[in-house]
Amino acid sequence: PYVVVLVTASSNEEARKIAERLLAERKAACVNIVAGVSSLFRWQNSIDSAEEHLMIIKTRSALLPEVINLVKGLHSYAIPEIIALPVVGGNPAYLEWIDKETG
């Protein structure tokens, strides 16, 4: 019932704005922001690159559609990276904490 959602942002300010909103609206229990991610990707028929900030969002699977909508509404990219990975296990107390913080 839990997912980790990966989202890249163009700046620390953008990542913090998204993270703070996710937390304020109880859509996530925790968001880690990893600075200095070098991304290489195909965009508009060419290879491009960017220095980005990676958000690692911990939440419940049931909230994923709301997380996606919130991120898309605040993000500067035309097509933001939003990828959810299932959590297959973990510290039971931590998982209970996610429930409490997003309930």
Side-chain angles (χ1 to χ4, degrees):
Y2 307 98
V3 291
V4 170
V5 184
L6 305 176
V7 176
T8 52
S10 63
S11 68
N12 186 59
E13 294 76 22
E14 181 174 55
R16 287 190 65 87
K17 177 178 74 172
I18 293 168
E20 288 171 1
R21 184 81 169 273
L22 287 166
L23 294 167
E25 295 190 16
R26 302 182 79 88
K27 305 301 181 208
C30 177
V31 180
N32 304 113
I33 299 173
V34 182
V37 175
S38 295
S39 298
L40 287 91
F41 49 91
R42 291 195 55 81
W43 181 249
Q44 298 179 339
N45 296 320
S46 63
I47 296 175
D48 203 349
S49 65
E51 291 300 314
E52 298 180 298
H53 291 71
L54 174 65
M55 289 176 275
I56 305 169
I57 302 163
K58 276 74 79 166
T59 191
R60 292 183 291 121
S61 301
L63 294 173
L64 183 57
E66 295 172 64
V67 168
I68 291 169
N69 285 335
L70 189 147
V71 170
K72 286 169 62 175
L74 295 173
H75 211 289
S76 63
Y77 293 171
I79 304 174
E81 172 187 358
I82 308 169
I83 298 174
L85 305 172
V87 172
V88 298
N91 176 358
Y94 187 84
L95 300 176
E96 289 172 18
W97 174 77
I98 291 174
D99 283 331
K100 178 178 174 250
E101 295 303 320
T102 60

